[in-house]
C-alpha cells in the first residue's frame, strides 16, 4: 500500500468517529492525543497514538510534523445559498430600525431583490462570485458545501444557478452538493397567482432531475411564503421522482414545518428557531436531522433554536452557516461555531460533531466524509492551536492554518495553494 503522507505529532486528533450509535450524547466522538494519521490515494489509511509504525513509511512517504497542534475532519457547510448575484447592504438601515425580514420581502426586497440581480447575471459572473466565496470558506476549513438554487424562480434561471453548482464542483477543491429550491419565494410575476407558481415548480422538478442537476429539493415553508399544505404537495412530488428532501421549517413563525418534516420523512429540517415541542417530537420519532443555523439568528437579532432541548430529546443536530445575501452574509464557519459555544452553550466536541459527522449525514455523505476513518476522504483541517478549547475561547479569529482536500494541501499557512 502506497502511503503518500503521514501527519505525526498531532496534539489533538478529532477523528470524528462516532463511538456509540446508541448514545444520545453529542460528545460521543473519538479524540486522540499525541496521534498520527496516514493518508493513501486521498483517503485515510490508518491512524493511531504515538510513534508512526515503521511499516507505513516508504521511501517517498511525506512526513509532516504537526507540532502538537489540533487536527479535525474538514468542516461541512450543509446549508448555503451560495450561487447568487448582488448584495443587500441597502437593507441594513431597515434591519437596524427593526423592519421585519418578511416585511422587506413583502415589499419586493429581500430574496426578490437578489432574484432580480441573479437573473441579470451571466453564468460566468455567478461562477466568479461564488468561487471567491468558496475560497474564503476553504480558508475557514470548509471542504464540502451544500448549495441551493432559489434566486432564479423560472426553469431557465434555476437551471442557470444549478449549472454553476456543477461547474464549481468540477473546478474548485470544495465538493458541492446541489439542491433545487425553486420554492424559495413566490416570484413577482406570480404575485397574484401563487397557486400557478406551485404548479410551475412541480413542472420543473422532473426536468431538473433528468438533467441530474440536483440531489435534494428544499422549500421555504413559512408564513406568507409556502404554506404547510403547499410544502407537503411539492415535497411529496419531489420524493416520488427521487429527490432527497430538506425543508426550511419554523424559521420565523411556528407553522408546523418540523411536524411536516417528520410526516414526509425529510432528511433534515433547517432553522427551527420557532419549533414547537410537537415538532421536536416529530423530528426525533422520524430520525430527521435538525440543521441549525445560529449565525442567522445572530445576524437577524432573533432567538436561537432550542438546541439543548433537541439534543436532550435525542434529535441529531447539525450546524451550518446558511450563507446567503440576506439573512446571513458570512462565509465564516468558525464564527458560526464560536456562536454555538457562547450562545447555544454547546461544548467543543458537540460543535465538531455538528459540523462534521452530523453535517455529512444531513447531506447524505456520511459514508465518504464527516470523520477521518479508514477509507473516507482525507479532508482535514490543521488549526494553529494547542487544544480544542482555544478555538472557541479566542473568538472572532480564524485559527485554521492548513486545509487538505482528499490528501492534497489546498490551504497552507492560511493561504490558498491549490
Ligand atoms: O435560509 N429563509 C429563506 N432563505 C434564506 C434567506 C435567503 C435570503 O434572504 O436571500 C435563509 O435564511
Ligand atoms: Fe437557508
Amino acid at each position: 500500500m502506497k502511503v503518500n503522507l503521514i501527519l505525526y505529532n498531532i496534539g489533538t486528533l478529532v477523528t470524528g468517529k462516532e463511538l456509540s450509535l446508541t448514545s444520545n450524547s453529542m460528545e460521543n466522538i473519538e479524540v486522540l492525543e499525541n496521534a498520527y494519521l496516514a493518508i493513501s490515494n486521498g483517503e485515510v489509511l490508518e491512524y493511531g497514538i504515538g510513534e508512526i509504525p515503521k511499516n507505513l513509511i516508504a521511501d517517498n512517504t511525506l512526513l509532516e510534523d504537526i507540532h502538537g497542534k489540533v487536527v479535525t475532519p474538514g468542516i461541512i457547510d450543509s446549508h448555503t445559498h451560495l450561487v447568487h448575484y448582488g448584495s443587500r447592504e441597502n437593507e441594513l438601515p431597515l434591519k437596524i430600525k427593526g423592519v421585519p425580514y418578511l416585511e422587506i420581502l413583502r415589499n419586493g426586497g429581500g430574496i426578490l431583490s437578489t432574484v432580480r440581480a441573479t437573473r441579470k447575471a451571466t453564468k460566468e459572473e455567478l461562477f466568479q462570485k461564488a468561487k471567491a466565496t468558496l475560497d474564503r470558506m476553504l480558508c475557514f476549513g470548509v471542504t464540502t458545501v451544500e448549495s441551493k438554487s432559489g434566486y432564479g424562480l423560472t426553469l431557465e434561471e434555476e437551471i442557470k444557478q444549478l449549472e454553476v453548482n456543477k461547474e464549481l464542483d468540477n473546478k474548485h477543491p470544495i465538493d458541492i452538493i446541489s439542491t433545487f429550491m425553486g420554492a424559495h419565494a413566490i416570484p413577482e410575476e406570480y404575485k397574484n397567482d401563487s397557486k400557478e407558481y406551485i404548479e410551475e415548480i412541480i413542472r420543473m422538478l422532473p426536468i431538473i432531475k433528468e438533467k441530474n442537476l440536483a440531489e435534494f429539493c428544499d422549500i421555504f415553508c413559512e408564513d406568507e411564503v409556502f404554506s404547510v399544505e403547499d410544502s407537503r404537495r411539492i415535497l411529496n412530488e419531489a420524493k416520488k421522482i427521487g429527490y432527497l428532501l430538506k425543508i426550511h421549517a419554523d424559521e420565523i413563525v411556528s407553522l408546523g414545518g418540523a411536524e411536516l418534516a417528520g410526516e414526509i420523512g425529510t432528511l433534515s429540517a433547517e432553522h427551527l428557531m420557532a419549533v414547537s415541542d410537537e415538532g421536536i417530537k416529530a423530528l426525533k420519532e422520524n430520525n430527521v436531522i435538525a440543521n441549525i443555523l445560529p449565525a442567522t439568528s445572530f445576524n437577524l437579532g432573533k432567538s436561537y433554536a432550542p438546541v439543548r432541548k433537541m439534543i436532550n430529546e435525542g434529535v441529531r443536530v447539525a450546524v451550518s452557516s446558511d450563507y446567503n445575501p440576506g439573512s446571513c452574509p458570512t462565509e465564516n464557519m468558525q464564527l458560526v461555531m464560536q456562536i454555538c459555544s457562547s450562545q447555544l452553550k454547546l461544548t467543543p466536541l458537540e460543535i465538531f460533531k455538528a459540523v462534521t459527522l452530523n453535517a455529512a449525514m444531513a447531506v447524505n455523505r456520511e459514508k465518504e466524509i464527516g470523520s477521518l476513518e479508514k477509507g473516507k476522504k482525507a479532508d482535514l483541517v490543521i488549526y494553529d492551536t494547542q487544544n480544542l478549547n482555544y478555538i472557541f475561547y479566542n473568538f472572532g479569529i480564524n485559527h485554521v492554518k492548513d486545509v487538505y482536500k482528499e490528501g492534497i494541501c489546498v490551504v497552507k499557512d492560511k493561504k490558498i495553494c491549490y
Side-chain angles (χ1 to χ4, degrees), residues 79 81 88 101 110-111 114 151 181 184 220 248 251 271 293 296 322 324-328:
H79 178 140
H81 303 258
R88 310 224 293 266
Y101 179 83
I111 295 172
T114 302
Y151 293 116
M181 198 173 173
H184 195 195
F220 190 15
H248 282 57
E251 175 179 353
H271 285 288
L293 317 163
T296 304
D322 194 23
N324 74 70
S327 65
C328 200

Side-chain angles (χ1 to χ4, degrees), residues 185-378:
I186 304 291
E188 274 160 326
E189 59 275 20
Y190 285 96
K191 205 158 103 189
N192 301 318
D193 195 3
S194 60
K195 292 289 164 217
E196 187 45 36
Y197 184 58
I198 289 161
E199 297 312 313
E200 183 57 21
I201 295 168
I202 288 169
R203 285 191 287 271
M204 289 185 216
L205 283 168
I207 301 169
I208 284 163
K209 193 80 211 152
E210 249 161 55
K211 289 179 180 286
N212 200 17
L213 283 173
E215 196 174 328
F216 284 89
C217 176
D218 196 347
I219 184 162
F220 190 15
C221 177
E222 185 56 70
D223 198 22
E224 300 182 44
V225 193
F226 293 93
S227 68
V228 170
E229 213 176 289
D230 297 339
S231 305
R232 181 182 286 113
R233 167 117 197 272
I234 291 171
L235 290 174
N236 273 327
E237 286 297 322
K239 189 178 182 178
K240 270 192 230 156
I241 52 177
Y243 285 92
L244 294 173
L245 307 178
K246 294 182 169 291
I247 177 170
H248 282 57
D250 304 319
E251 175 179 353
I252 299 162
V253 177
S254 184
L255 215 61
E259 288 88 330
L260 179 67
E263 174 194 315
I264 298 184
T266 62
L267 185 60
S268 63
E270 330 282 305
H271 285 288
L272 302 167
M273 281 128 85
V275 68
S276 67
D277 287 351
E278 294 72 49
I280 295 178
K281 208 165 147 233
L283 300 177
K284 162 67 187 149
E285 282 173 0
N286 298 285
N287 292 320
V288 178
I289 297 167
N291 201 356
I292 304 304
L293 317 163
T296 304
S297 303
F298 174 82
N299 185 50
L300 294 178
K302 296 269 182 207
S303 61
Y304 292 92
V307 180
R308 183 58 65 199
K309 200 170 181 180
M310 292 192 243
I311 292 174
N312 287 344
E313 293 296 322
V315 175
R316 194 178 275 277
V317 170
V319 165
S320 48
S321 72
D322 194 23
Y323 167 74
N324 74 70
S327 65
C328 200
T330 183
E331 294 95 336
N332 186 342
M333 266 303 277
Q334 220 163 126
L335 174 66
V336 174
M337 292 159 68
Q338 288 159 347
I339 294 172
C340 285
S341 172
S342 68
Q343 304 302 303
L344 301 178
K345 313 293 177 209
L346 299 186
T347 66
L349 285 187
E350 289 178 323
I351 297 166
F352 272 108
K353 185 165 184 186
V355 298
T356 57
L357 189 64
N358 288 0
M361 289 182 178
V363 291
N364 195 33
R365 289 288 189 284
E366 68 274 16
K367 291 200 175 75
E368 294 154 43
I369 52 172
S371 60
L372 295 168
E373 292 176 76
K374 185 176 164 61
K376 284 197 180 184
K377 286 185 183 178

